[in-house]
Amino acid sequence: MAAKRKRGAPAAGKAKRARSAPSAGEAVPEGGPGEHSVPPQEYSIPPPVSQGKWKNKERVLIFSSRGINFRTRHLMQDLRTLMPHSKADTKMDRKDQLFVINEVCEMKNCNKCIFFEAKKKQDLYMWLSNTPHGPSAKFLVQNVHTLAELKMTGNCLRGSRPLLSFDPIFDQEPHYALLKELFIQIFSTPQYHPKSQPFVDHVFTFSITDERIWFRNYQIIEEDASLVEIGPRFVLNLIKIFQGSFGGPTLYENPHYQSPNMHRRLLRLSVAAKFREKQQVKEVQKIKKKGTKVLVEEDPTEVVFETPAEEKPVEIQLVKPESKPIVKDKKKLRKIQRKKQKKLFRTEG
C-alpha cells in the first residue's frame, strides 16, 4: 500500500525540470535516448520588474474631519489614488482632540499623516505631520481643483512613482527647508512598494509665489517630453510649524498669514465704508439745499444800462372775434379752411 503524501509536501519522485532548447554553439547529439548526451540547461525565468527589497516603509494616513464638502472629499480621494503608499480611515469627530490622530496612525501602522480639517463648512485646513514625534505643519487650503475637472486633460499610470520638483526658495530659508523634507517623505512613493509601479510618468511641483506654496501635478509625455497637467491642484498658505505632532512648541509662525475670518471682516468693512460715504454725500447735499441763500446787495451802477422801452398805443377791439369751429378731425379742418379760401378768392374776383 502506497503511503499518503501530506498536502504541501514535495512528491516522492524526482521533480520534473524544464529543459531548454540547445543554443547555437552547442552540438545536438545524434542517436536515441539511450546514447550519452550533454545534460541540458534549465530555463532561466526572468525576475519580476520590481525586483528588490521594500526597505523605506513609509505609510501615509489620509483622512478628514466631519463637515467637509464634496470638493474636499474629491481632493482627498485624488491624493489616495496618486499615492499607493497611503491608507484611509473613517472621518474623525470634531469634538475629539487632534492628538488622538497619533493613536489612529499607530493603529493603522502609519508614520505620516495628511489630515483635512473643515471649519464653518467653508474653510479647509490641512495638517501634514510626522507621527508620533513631529514636526507638523498647518496650512490653509485655497483654490482647490480636482482630477475630474475638464481642464485636467492629462493621465498617468495608477501607482506609478512621481518626480518631485521644488522651487529654489525651498533651499534658501530654514522653515521652507523643513517643509521640503516633510513633502519628500510624505508625497514620494517608496521604492519597491508592493502597490507601486516601477515607472516614472508624472511630476509633483511645489512652487512658492505670493508667500504661498502652489501644488501642481503634470504628466510627462514620451514623444516630446512636454508636460500636461493632470491635477489635482491647490494652494497651501502656511500658518504654523509645530515641533510635535499636531501640537507642541511653535517653531515658525507665518507673519503674512491672514485668517479667513479677518479677510471676510475686511471685505464687510470695505462695503460698509462705501455705503457710509454715499450717505455722507447725501447728507451734505441736503444741508446745502436747506441752507439760507445769501442776498446780494443791489448795484447802483446797473441802472445805467437800462433803456426805457417805447410806449405802444393801447388798441381797444370793439368787434367780437369770430369763433373758430372746434373740429376734432384734422382732415375736416383742412377742408373747411380750403372752402373759406375759395370763397375769398371768388369775392375778390
Side-chain angles (χ1 to χ4, degrees):
M1 183 177 178
K4 291 184 179 180
R5 182 170 61 90
K6 292 183 180 180
R7 184 178 295 175
K14 293 183 179 179
K16 294 183 180 180
R17 292 191 299 177
R19 295 187 177 182
S20 62
S23 59
E26 284 182 325
V28 180
E30 295 181 357
E35 296 183 8
H36 178 72
S37 60
V38 181
Q41 294 180 353
E42 295 182 359
Y43 281 115
S44 60
I45 300 172
V49 183
S50 60
Q51 184 184 15
K53 195 173 182 181
W54 179 30
K55 296 179 181 178
N56 180 20
K57 298 194 176 182
E58 297 282 354
R59 299 181 185 89
V60 183
L61 180 65
I62 302 177
F63 72 119
S64 68
S65 65
R66 297 191 180 277
I68 60 172
N69 54 9
F70 72 98
R71 193 177 292 274
T72 307
R73 187 172 66 253
H74 291 177
L75 172 64
M76 187 170 58
Q77 191 61 36
D78 293 344
L79 290 178
R80 287 173 184 167
T81 55
L82 290 173
M83 300 163 64
H85 60 294
S86 64
K87 288 189 176 183
D89 195 22
T90 56
K91 294 179 182 178
M92 196 180 77
D93 197 358
R94 294 187 203 170
K95 297 178 182 178
D96 294 339
Q97 298 296 327
L98 289 177
F99 60 83
V100 180
I101 301 175
N102 296 325
E103 299 177 5
V104 178
C105 292
E106 187 178 355
M107 287 188 291
K108 288 283 183 178
N109 198 16
C110 295
N111 51 3
K112 299 288 186 295
C113 181
I114 299 177
F115 177 67
F116 291 96
E117 185 180 8
K119 290 185 179 180
K120 294 187 175 181
K121 295 186 179 179
Q122 56 183 343
D123 302 330
L124 178 63
Y125 297 92
M126 179 193 283
W127 285 84
L128 299 179
S129 176
N130 181 20
T131 57
H133 304 295
S136 59
K138 185 180 180 182
F139 301 91
L140 174 68
V141 186
Q142 300 170 328
N143 303 333
V144 176
H145 298 275
T146 57
L147 274 168
E149 295 189 11
L150 296 176
K151 290 186 285 186
M152 312 301 180
T153 57
N155 190 11
C156 66
L157 184 68
R158 186 184 180 93
S160 59
R161 303 182 67 227
L163 293 174
L164 300 185
S165 174
F166 289 93
D167 196 284
I169 304 176
F170 276 98
D171 299 325
Q172 297 175 6
E173 299 187 19
H175 61 281
Y176 282 138
L178 178 61
L179 290 178
K180 178 181 178 181
E181 186 63 29
L182 197 61
F183 288 147
I184 289 172
Q185 294 183 15
I186 290 177
F187 287 97
S188 62
T189 303
Q191 195 174 13
Y192 306 124
H193 191 277
K195 292 183 180 179
S196 67
Q197 300 289 339
F199 307 106
V200 177
D201 59 353
H202 61 288
V203 185
F204 289 163
T205 62
F206 299 88
S207 55
I208 298 174
T209 308
D210 194 21
E211 304 296 335
R212 291 170 174 81
I213 300 172
W214 300 65
F215 176 86
R216 295 289 184 272
N217 182 20
Y218 297 99
Q219 178 196 359
I220 304 171
I221 299 178
E222 296 180 1
E223 287 78 9
D224 52 354
S226 60
L227 299 178
V228 178
E229 189 170 359
I230 304 173
R233 59 156 70 172
F234 50 87
V235 180
L236 298 176
N237 191 359
L238 178 63
I239 303 174
K240 284 183 180 181
I241 300 176
F242 300 97
Q243 185 176 353
S245 177
F246 295 98
T250 303
L251 298 179
Y252 176 79
E253 185 174 358
N254 187 7
H256 307 284
Y257 171 71
Q258 187 183 68
S259 66
N261 292 333
M262 181 61 68
H263 180 67
R264 288 191 286 267
R265 180 173 177 272
L266 292 177
L267 289 177
R268 288 195 300 269
L269 288 176
S270 64
V271 173
K274 288 182 181 178
F275 180 75
R276 202 178 299 114
E277 187 178 354
K278 288 182 181 179
Q279 291 296 111
Q280 289 176 355
V281 170
K282 288 182 181 179
E283 289 176 0
V284 170
Q285 290 176 352
K286 286 181 181 178
I287 292 170
K288 284 183 179 179
K289 289 179 181 178
K290 290 181 180 179
T292 55
K293 295 182 180 179
V294 180
L295 297 175
V296 183
E297 296 180 357
E298 294 183 359
D299 190 4
T301 59
E302 285 184 356
V303 189
V304 179
F305 301 100
E306 291 182 358
T307 52
E310 295 180 359
E311 293 183 0
K312 294 183 179 180
V314 179
E315 293 183 357
I316 299 171
Q317 190 175 2
L318 301 174
V319 183
K320 182 181 177 181
E322 295 181 358
S323 60
K324 295 181 179 180
I326 301 170
V327 182
K328 294 182 179 180
D329 195 356
K330 291 183 179 180
K331 291 183 179 180
K332 290 183 179 180
L333 181 62
R334 288 173 187 170
K335 287 181 181 179
I336 294 169
Q337 288 177 354
R338 286 173 187 170
K339 286 180 181 180
K340 285 183 179 180
Q341 288 176 358
K342 287 180 181 179
K343 286 180 181 180
L344 289 172
F345 285 129
R346 287 173 186 171
T347 53
E348 287 177 359

